[in-house]
């Protein structure tokens, strides 16, 4: 959940570290800090809050140190205080400092043992034990000390260590949390994500689980528990650095909402071939294995879970396979029933979502076939599954997901079509018709985003309301769930989302005169039932904001406000119906004066339970 960056080379480290932290701030912004190796010892600067506070505390450069590390924190163990901010030190001589992302699960036992040896602790964090462990094992060889400390740690973590007595050396390790090496000319980086150093180098080396890496300006040496790794490939980074910037938009989130036509186009890409041919090589299943499937389980959290629920409706309709979407954090504790004819699909934008990664590991160990849907090549989830489908929709910086949701749904649509094709559950005519509509989805998305809609006026009328209710039926339900999540995430307005058919079983009691109720009412076979639910809502004095399909004049007789989305086949409507909900949440949050890119208490990647 936190962000890490380290540098060794010939340039001044301080500005490089601060810039890298700015690029990683989406991973956590409770506090931040840097440590620089100076001749007199390690020099620390820490600050609570956004990175601007650290930049102010650090002041003008003033340092010629070319060796240091930095951290931006999302708090798990210990309050948000300067004392708990990283980098964390060991004992009073201050020669060792560490930065860590993740959780050390056995820190209590380690802390008790270290305290018996005379080590004094000064923070509430679990991470501080790593600094003291390195001290315990250190006898002049920092790499050996880190390797020994690593062997004692339990949990999911990535960390980097600096020691004053070792000029131009940083040592790090990872277990189920991201860490990547940036390879420069006479300089090296270690970071949680490539975007931390993309301005400086586009060559990387991946750190695998169980590995410790030592970097000097000359290069990196990798170690496993069995000894040095003989060779590690240097890979190119292909992302454009401009993807990490706002590109003229007022926020990253708004930029990413408007990137959705290109994002979905990239997701579809060459998977739809001329002649209505569908190629989905990353699915990793033979036709025989697809025909032998008896059940699909989709596991995810948050926005990715909502995409999975959309996938359930589509796969069941087209491929005629039972689908069970579940929240990964609950599923892993259910003692789930799996078999070799079960396909488990895990969805994670970052590929590092702790619960989803653990669930996919469990599914694979239980003998099920496993596929990951993710946006991040080389991420943790890709190493826990049989095969991977990449959304390929580019960097998403805003904490509240937008383009990754539509890309995930688009990819699940392709999965459903592939399964249906092999299982012959759709006619060739229907398959070709739908595939053509999928190919045109980016055009439909752009058509909506470029159009004129009453979203600003609606937001102006309702942004001060204390409560919203979202309703949907069938494929509109997960869209309503996602729309409500967006409003909660970035505007902090209490919001409920329900199946419209369940409204009379309790939620209707929440309604009063003027309550805004957002209803996903696109054209589908349950449309008439949705209209009945709308009438029940309006009878209680609520104000209905409907998301409807272009050309549906009927809906205007039932709703106070209507936002129309372009026509597309019913089971593709989720991709379009979510767009006005993203923009409505965005405009309400901005009218309330909130930072939509950094909503409170949230971070982009959830790597802790």
């Amino acid at each position: 959940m936190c962000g890490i960056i380290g540098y060794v080379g010939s340039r001044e480290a301080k500005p490089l570290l601060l810039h890298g932290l700015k690029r990683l701030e989406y991973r956590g912004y409770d506090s931040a800090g840097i440590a620089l190796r100076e001749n007199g010892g390690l020099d620390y600067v820490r600050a609570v809050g956004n990175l601007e506070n650290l930049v102010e505390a650090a002041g003008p450069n003033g340092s010629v140190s070319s060796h240091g590390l930095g951290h931006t924190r999302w708090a798990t163990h210990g309050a948000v205080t300067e004392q708990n901010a990283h980098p964390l030190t060991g004992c009073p001589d201050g020669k060792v400092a560490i930065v860590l992302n993740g959780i050390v699960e056995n820190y209590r036992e380690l802390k008790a043992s270290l305290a018996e040896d005379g080590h004094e602790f000064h923070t509430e964090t679990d991470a501080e034990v790593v600094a003291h462990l390195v001290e315990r094992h250190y006898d002049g060889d920092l790499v050996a000390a880190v390797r020994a400390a690593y062997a004692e740690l339990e949990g999911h973590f990535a960390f980097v260590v600096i020691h004053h007595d070792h000029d131009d050396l940083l040592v790090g390790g990872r277990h189920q949390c991201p860490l990547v090496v940036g390879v420069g000319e006479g300089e090296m980086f270690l970071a949680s994500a490539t975007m931390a150093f993309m301005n400086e180098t586009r060559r990387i080396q991946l750190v695998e689980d169980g590995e410790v890496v030592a970097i000097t300006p000359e290069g990196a040496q990798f170690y496993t528990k069995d000894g040095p790794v003989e060779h590690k490939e240097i890979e190119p980074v292909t992302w454009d650095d401009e993807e990490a910037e706002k590109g003229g938009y007022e926020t990253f989130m708004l930029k990413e909402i408007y990137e959705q036509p290109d994002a979905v186009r990239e997701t579809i890409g060459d998977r739809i071939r001329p002649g209505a041919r569908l190629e989905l090589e990353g699915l990793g299943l033979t036709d025989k294995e697809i025909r032998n499937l008896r059940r699909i389980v989709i596991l995810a959290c948050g926005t990715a879970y909502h995409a999975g629920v959309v996938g359930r409706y589509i796969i069941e309709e087209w491929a005629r396979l039972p689908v069970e979407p579940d929240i990964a954090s609950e599923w892993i504790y259910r003692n789930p029933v799996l078999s070799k004819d079960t396909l488990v699909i895990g969805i994670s934008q970052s590929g590092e979502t702790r619960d989803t990664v653990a669930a996919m590991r469990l599914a694979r160990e239980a003998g099920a076939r496993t596929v990951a849907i993710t946006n991040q090549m080389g991420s943790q989830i890709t190493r826990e599954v049989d095969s991977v489908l990449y959304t390929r929709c580019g960097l998403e910086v805003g904490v509240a997901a937008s383009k990754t949701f539509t890309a995930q749904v688009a990819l699940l649509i392709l999965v459903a079509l592939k399964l249906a094709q092999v299982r012959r559950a759709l006619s060739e005519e229907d398959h070709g018709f739908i595939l053509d509509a999928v190919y045109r989805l980016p055009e439909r998305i752009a058509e909506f985003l470029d159009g004129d809609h009453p979203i600003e006026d609606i937001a102006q009328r309702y942004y001060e309301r204390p409560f919203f209710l979202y309703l949907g039926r069938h494929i509109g339900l997960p869209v309503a769930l996602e729309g409500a999540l967006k409003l909660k995430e970035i505007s902090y307005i209490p919001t409920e989302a329900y199946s419209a058919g369940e409204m009379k079983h309790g939620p209707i009691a929440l309604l009063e005169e003027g309550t805004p109720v957002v209803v996903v009412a696109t054209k589908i076979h349950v449309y008439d039932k949705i209209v009945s639910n709308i009438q029940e809502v309006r009878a209680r004095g609520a104000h209905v904001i409907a998301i409807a399909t272009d050309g549906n004049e009927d809906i205007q007789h039932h709703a106070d406000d209507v936002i129309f989305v372009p026509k597309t086949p019913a089971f593709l409507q989720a991709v379009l119906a979510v767009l006005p909900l993203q923009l409505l949440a965005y405009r309400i949050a901005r009218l309330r004066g909130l930072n939509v890119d950094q909503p409170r208490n949230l971070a982009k990647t959830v790597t802790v339970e």
Side-chain angles (χ1 to χ4, degrees), residues 11 30 77 94 139 184 285 299 375 380 419 427 459 461 483 546-547:
R11 291 190 284 167
D30 290 330
H77 291 72
D139 63 357
L285 296 172
L299 301 174
N375 195 39
Q380 182 64 29
L419 298 176
S427 69
R461 286 201 300 278
I547 311 302

Side-chain angles (χ1 to χ4, degrees), residues 141-208:
D141 186 335
L142 185 61
V143 173
V146 172
R147 292 177 67 190
Y150 181 98
E152 294 191 50
L153 299 175
E154 297 175 7
H156 46 281
F157 50 79
F159 65 92
V160 179
V161 182
I162 188 171
H163 194 293
H164 179 262
D165 292 348
H166 294 268
D167 189 16
D168 290 336
L169 174 66
L170 293 174
V171 186
R174 59 157 289 186
H175 180 65
Q176 299 178 9
C177 281
L179 193 64
V180 62
V181 175
V183 181
E185 297 294 333
E187 60 184 7
M188 299 287 285
F189 298 83
L190 261 178
S192 298
T194 56
M195 65 182 297
F197 50 72
M198 271 203 304
N199 282 356
E200 315 305 330
T201 181
R202 295 181 179 275
R203 298 189 301 154
I204 64 171
Q205 291 175 298
L206 297 176
V207 186
E208 301 291 342

Side-chain angles (χ1 to χ4, degrees), residues 2-155:
C2 306
I4 290 171
I5 182 169
Y7 173 79
V8 290
S10 58
R11 291 190 284 167
E12 294 175 350
K14 183 176 171 182
L16 292 171
L17 296 174
L18 292 174
H19 181 73
L21 289 178
K22 186 62 179 176
R23 304 291 291 274
L24 293 174
E25 195 177 13
Y26 70 97
R27 296 184 65 89
Y29 34 85
D30 290 330
S31 62
I34 59 173
L36 299 169
R37 183 188 177 279
E38 306 282 6
N39 289 333
L42 296 179
D43 185 28
Y44 306 93
V45 183
R46 305 180 183 92
V48 171
N50 290 351
L51 191 67
E52 285 79 0
N53 296 338
L54 177 65
V55 173
E56 182 178 351
N61 188 27
S63 170
V64 296
S65 173
S66 59
H67 179 192
L69 45 75
H71 186 270
T72 182
R73 182 179 186 234
W74 188 81
T76 53
H77 291 72
V80 179
T81 64
E82 186 174 323
Q83 182 182 26
N84 289 330
H86 298 214
L88 300 171
T89 62
C91 289
D93 66 6
K95 287 191 173 184
V96 173
I98 67 101
V99 289
L100 182 140
N101 167 37
I103 288 179
V104 179
E105 293 177 352
N106 62 333
Y107 80 98
R108 291 183 180 87
E109 300 91 326
L110 292 172
K111 186 174 182 178
S113 172
L114 289 161
E116 288 181 3
D117 289 350
H119 290 263
E120 297 181 7
F121 290 81
H122 303 283
T123 77
E124 303 167 309
T125 70
D126 57 327
E128 188 182 357
V129 299
V130 178
H132 291 280
L133 270 180
V134 173
E135 286 181 331
R136 167 188 275 177
H137 293 290
Y138 181 75
D139 63 357
D141 186 335
L142 185 61
V143 173
V146 172
R147 292 177 67 190
Y150 181 98
E152 294 191 50
L153 299 175
E154 297 175 7

Side-chain angles (χ1 to χ4, degrees), residues 461-462 465-471 493-496 503 507-519 534 537-545 560-561:
R461 286 201 300 278
Y462 296 114
R465 297 300 172 93
F467 171 74
F468 278 65
L469 179 65
Y470 282 60
L471 298 174
I493 296 174
T495 308
E496 293 283 358
M503 182 182 55
I508 199 167
L510 297 169
L511 300 182
E512 57 187 31
E513 189 70 32
T515 299
V517 179
V518 181
V519 183
I534 289 175
V537 165
R538 295 191 77 190
R540 272 73 184 175
H543 291 181
V544 172
I545 304 163
D560 298 277
D561 297 283

